[in-house]
Amino acid sequence: NTVISEYFEYATLSHRWGNGEPLLRDVEGKSIYDLSGRDGQAKLQKFCIFALRHHFQWAWSDTCCIEKDSSAELQEAIGSMFSWYHWSSLTIVHLSDVFDAGSLADSVWFTRGWTLQELLASHTVLFYTYDWSLYLKSDAVDHKTNPALLEELRDATGIAKEHLTNFRAGMDDARSKLHWASSRRTTRPEDIAYSLFGIFQVHLPIFYGESAQNALGRLLAEIISRSGDVSVLDW
């Protein structure tokens, strides 16, 4: 039923975390628009406004839609993060460090670990600059269908256009997928591995404090076990 599917469609936010990001406990039982409107709260409000402008009644942000105080909830959330973006009807990317004359590739967004799966998983993406202006001032409804912007994305990420527009999660071409992540960084060391779980469709336990080396070791062992591709050890 088209009416039902349209009602349950939602938009997702992809961004670089900054100051004052509201958590679940900060927004639970409250109106988003009653928050103070500073830093991360202002960003969340803008995201919700833009989601509504695109006719979505639901919006999802990784800042406040995950119960991070519960280890069980966090484990489930990390395991389903790729799916949240994959099944969204629109991902709104806010590049807070790209200004009027700036280039998309200059953003720190392209250096972060979690944003790789957000870019690949999302079918429809719109990039917004620091003041929430649509990048390139275009009237695009999906930047992934814009040839010029796809060129920019390819140059910024090293990912071929066919993967940017039609990415398939799993073990195929595992070494390339690891290479795409090789220059990216995460705030918590172990997240450099955890942020790839969705890309490879693996479900492994989350152990913050185990070290990045151990987390990557477990991920590589799983990839080799399932794909038989030992070349991933040289990514």
Side-chain angles (χ1 to χ4, degrees):
N1 187 297
T2 303
V3 174
I4 293 175
S5 63
E6 287 180 356
Y7 179 80
F8 285 106
E9 288 181 340
Y10 63 94
T12 46
L13 174 66
S14 180
H15 62 117
R16 171 73 169 100
W17 278 49
N19 296 324
E21 299 287 0
L23 304 179
L24 176 63
R25 59 177 175 270
D26 299 319
V27 303
E28 200 166 20
K30 301 175 185 176
S31 168
I32 296 296
Y33 308 106
D34 289 338
L35 301 178
S36 67
R38 294 191 300 271
D39 298 327
Q41 295 179 348
K43 177 169 55 179
L44 181 64
Q45 290 169 343
K46 277 286 191 181
F47 163 58
C48 290
I49 289 170
F50 274 78
L52 191 60
R53 287 182 184 175
H54 286 284
H55 310 294
F56 294 103
Q57 299 188 54
W58 304 96
W60 189 93
S61 169
D62 60 350
T63 55
C64 61
C65 293
I66 297 173
E67 175 53 275
K68 297 179 178 66
D69 294 332
S70 165
S71 58
E73 292 266 354
L74 186 59
Q75 169 86 42
E76 183 178 354
I78 289 176
S80 58
M81 191 80 71
F82 186 94
S83 295
W84 276 109
Y85 288 91
H86 180 73
W87 293 111
S88 71
S89 297
L90 171 65
T91 294
I92 292 174
V93 181
H94 183 235
L95 306 176
S96 60
D97 53 355
V98 173
F99 300 92
D100 293 335
S103 168
L104 191 91
D106 293 334
S107 177
V108 71
W109 187 85
F110 288 97
T111 71
R112 307 305 298 170
W114 286 105
T115 56
L116 175 61
Q117 73 166 353
E118 294 163 14
L119 173 65
L120 293 172
S122 303
H123 297 290
T124 304
V125 175
L126 286 174
F127 290 92
Y128 288 85
T129 59
Y130 77 105
D131 64 351
W132 291 90
S133 297
L134 196 60
Y135 184 66
L136 298 180
K137 308 293 184 183
S138 67
D139 57 356
V141 295
D142 179 11
H143 276 141
K144 281 194 173 186
T145 63
N146 182 309
L149 203 140
L150 273 176
E151 291 281 352
E152 284 194 60
L153 287 176
R154 184 197 64 186
D155 293 343
T157 62
I159 302 173
K161 294 179 187 178
E162 57 265 29
H163 294 304
L164 289 168
T165 57
N166 189 30
F167 177 74
R168 296 183 65 180
M171 295 296 165
D172 292 344
D173 204 6
R175 192 164 181 263
S176 291
K177 291 171 180 174
L178 288 167
H179 181 69
W180 300 338
S182 61
S183 61
R184 292 175 178 255
R185 299 291 179 266
T186 55
T187 301
R188 302 183 77 166
E190 297 85 358
D191 278 341
I192 199 61
Y194 302 162
S195 63
L196 299 176
F197 284 6
I199 287 174
F200 288 103
Q201 288 190 327
V202 301
H203 300 280
L204 297 172
I206 305 299
F207 301 120
Y208 281 112
E210 67 171 318
S211 81
Q213 183 177 5
N214 285 352
L216 281 170
R218 290 194 295 120
L219 174 61
L220 291 173
E222 182 71 8
I223 292 172
I224 293 171
S225 173
R226 289 172 54 181
S227 71
D229 184 2
V230 295
S231 72
V232 298
L233 296 173
D234 185 32
W235 62 288

